[in-house]
Amino acid sequence: MKLKLNKKTQSTGANEVIKALKNNNIKEVFVYPGGTIAPVLDLIEKNKIKIFCSRHEQGAGYAAIAASKIKKTPQVTMVSSGPGVTNIVTPVADAYYDSIPVVIFTGQVGQKDMKGQIKIRQKGFQETDTLSLFKSITKECFQPKNPHEVFDVVNKAFKIAASGRPGPVLIDLPMNIQRDNFLRENKKKIKIDKHKVEKNLKKISENDIKKIIQIIKRSSKPLILCGQGVILSGSEKLLRKLAIKYKIPVTMSLLALGAFPTRNYLSLGFHGHTGNQAAGLAIQNCDLLIVVGSRLDLRQVGTEVNKFAEKSKKIIRIDIDKDEISNSRVKCNINLKGDVGYILKQILKKIPKSLKINLDWLKQIKKYKSQHQLTYQKNKSIKPQEIIEEINNLTLSKETICVSGVGQHQQWTARHFDFDNPKKLWFTSGGHGAMGYDLPVAIGAQYISPKKLVLCFVGDGSFQMNIQELASLKVYNLPLKIIVLDNNRLGIVSQFQKLNWNNDPTCGEKWNPSFSSLAKSYKIFAQTIVDRKNLKNKLKKFLNFKGPSLIHCVVDKKEELSPMLLAGQTLDKMWKNEK
């Protein structure tokens, strides 16, 4: 007896990629081209999907990260094999450590040219063992063995990237898989069961909620420690409702800035290694710490783990990642695994409408903030902080995406700029701490949000990591505003070296070009600031320019980042530069 076949149509692996992209509502892809990804690239524009083409694979990867953070759905980057693969490792690692859903397509040599288990280094030209290379920095890696698998593999990748704790998923596409024809059975679906998607993230016991409510009711000095999980779960409104209604102060991790408005009187800004001393004091003196969507990593809690929040009678932790909870640096009394938004909703449902507010605790918080303001001493040289503060004041009323690289400028921006999601968004490299993040992420953000003001605060060192993307900026004519804070140092490492060894042989006294002249060579409007003369007017002109613009700010070389949490210190006793 013959089986009745489903209707079949001719297709290729590359065609299946396009169908899956459309199935996942992908409007644009971020690419750097090459031969082994060419079959897919050839079909993308023909199918009315936009192509953003960078000047380096890192540029493509970081632009996709920006798109994902803005759209809050997995976005796509594509590169070729060999050096294309190795060049995109850094943004993929960034996406993994900061929980950003990105689907990465890498080209690969044809299956006949792959070395497989043969004990040689390489068989095909530009062949790289991509799956082994990315295994530790992705949620999952796939390499379809047949073109008829491609559609379902790609759909699975999108689902995995967005599920549970988000992150990158990679699909390695051999050339023959992209190009080979096959008869597609339209109703048949290939199951890819390699990865189990997390479930039961929206279940929590009534007893756990009751326990939490009782603990909050008994607390006289409660504090919320907010992590990026609040932003990833879209739970900012719920967090704000809990904090504002019951007058609970809030401190944020570096990546969580904006989850709670930094100008609100309950806000302590961010805490930890380069955070605010007031926030550190609040953590060390609270009697209840509610940790929401935070890893409680080294940069947040410091080296003295056993003394973290030492006066707190209880620490409640809410997180989606069971492994983070199981391997917590800090011992917590109650651990709730699940979707942050769902758990906050359950707490708000059960918490009494009237809750005793400890006014003495709020007065103490106000005192901490008053006594430990982030001040700086002005001298002849321009201070980086005053540039950031002035731009913050000039743009307060505008919808803004603020991007920084990694270094002293990153910490100063986090301290002296105001954030409030979704009006004032903050993008920076957290877990991976990658210099060169700034310019391509800012370009990607402006590409996706052409009507928003996008500011790129960048240090002279970080800027030069991906400076070639100025060409991408000009090609797409995006109105990005780049603020280069130039102190002729790799400042944060220079400071570290000087604190420990009284010398900074590799980080101090860096020679830099004229960044404004360099920008002009890319036909980008640019100017240089070396003193305070007409500072505000120059910044206004820069901000009001209609197209891409850059301002090169020559700032005080000797300005140090202070206060700072050093090894052996607790959060309430951060090192301070007394010079």
Side-chain angles (χ1 to χ4, degrees), residues 25-267:
N25 201 32
I26 292 299
K27 305 296 184 186
E28 55 271 308
V29 295
F30 300 87
V31 310
Y32 193 85
T36 59
I37 198 66
V40 173
L41 295 182
D42 179 60
L43 293 175
I44 287 175
E45 202 164 38
K46 292 176 182 176
N47 283 273
K48 297 182 180 179
I49 297 173
K50 292 180 183 177
I51 293 178
F52 177 96
C53 187
S54 63
R55 289 301 188 272
H56 188 280
E57 287 85 357
Q58 276 200 24
Y62 276 126
I65 281 175
S68 175
K69 288 173 76 71
I70 292 167
K71 293 193 171 189
K72 297 188 181 296
T73 58
Q75 298 300 304
V76 170
T77 185
M78 293 182 178
V79 297
S80 194
S81 61
V85 164
T86 57
N87 280 344
I88 206 168
V89 166
T90 297
V92 173
D94 236 309
Y96 184 66
Y97 296 126
D98 286 353
S99 307
I100 301 164
V102 179
V103 178
I104 308 103
F105 291 86
T106 55
Q108 185 57 275
V109 300
Q111 287 170 311
K112 290 180 180 179
D113 295 321
M114 294 167 67
K115 71 182 183 70
Q117 300 302 312
I118 302 172
K119 292 185 178 180
I120 58 175
R121 294 188 180 184
Q122 187 185 54
K123 186 178 178 184
F125 172 67
Q126 292 189 332
E127 179 192 7
T128 301
D129 185 354
T130 303
L131 301 190
S132 296
L133 192 62
F134 283 88
K135 186 178 179 182
S136 66
I137 54 169
T138 56
K139 290 184 73 176
E140 189 65 271
C141 291
F142 294 108
Q143 188 183 78
K145 302 301 179 189
N146 298 288
H148 70 267
E149 291 182 353
V150 171
F151 182 79
D152 290 295
V153 167
V154 176
N155 283 312
K156 189 74 172 180
F158 275 91
K159 188 174 182 181
I160 292 168
S163 70
R165 182 178 176 182
V169 178
L170 183 138
I171 303 169
D172 195 41
L173 292 172
M175 273 291 278
N176 62 299
I177 298 299
Q178 296 177 60
R179 301 183 73 174
D180 285 355
N181 289 293
F182 74 102
L183 288 176
R184 186 180 198 272
E185 295 183 15
N186 290 339
K187 294 183 181 179
K188 186 178 179 182
K189 287 192 175 181
I190 308 297
K191 290 186 178 179
I192 306 296
D193 294 324
K194 202 175 175 184
H195 185 107
K196 291 182 180 178
V197 175
E198 284 190 83
K199 295 179 181 178
N200 299 324
L201 295 173
K202 294 192 173 181
K203 287 186 178 181
I204 194 76
S205 76
E206 289 284 330
N207 284 338
D208 283 336
I209 295 297
K210 285 179 182 177
K211 277 183 191 176
I212 289 171
I213 300 302
Q214 288 305 312
I215 292 168
I216 293 173
K217 284 170 72 175
R218 288 195 293 266
S219 168
S220 60
K221 297 179 180 180
L223 180 69
I224 293 172
L225 189 157
C226 170
Q228 192 195 197
V230 173
I231 296 172
L232 294 172
S233 62
S235 305
E236 293 97 327
K237 287 183 180 179
L238 294 168
L239 178 93
R240 294 174 188 201
K241 186 176 180 181
L242 178 65
I244 293 169
K245 187 173 182 179
Y246 300 106
K247 306 291 188 293
I248 304 174
V250 178
T251 179
M252 290 164 273
S253 69
L254 178 66
L255 290 181
L257 281 167
F260 192 79
T262 52
R263 283 205 162 199
N264 189 286
Y265 76 101
L266 293 169
S267 172

Side-chain angles (χ1 to χ4, degrees), residues 387-395 417 455 457 483 539:
I387 297 287
I388 295 164
E389 286 180 349
E390 192 65 64
I391 291 175
N392 182 49
N393 291 332
L394 289 170
T395 61
F417 202 88
L455 300 172
F457 286 99
I483 305 99
L539 291 175

Side-chain angles (χ1 to χ4, degrees), residues 55 57 63-64 84 116 155 166 190 202 207 219 259 263 267 273 304 317-318 342 363 415 444 452 487 498 565-566 575:
R55 289 301 188 272
E57 287 85 357
N155 283 312
I190 308 297
K202 294 192 173 181
N207 284 338
S219 168
R263 283 205 162 199
S267 172
H273 172 56
E304 304 307 294
R317 186 174 184 185
I318 303 167
Y342 174 78
K363 286 177 184 176
R415 288 175 172 186
K452 280 192 176 182
N487 60 1
K498 283 187 170 182
L565 182 67
L566 304 180
W575 168 83

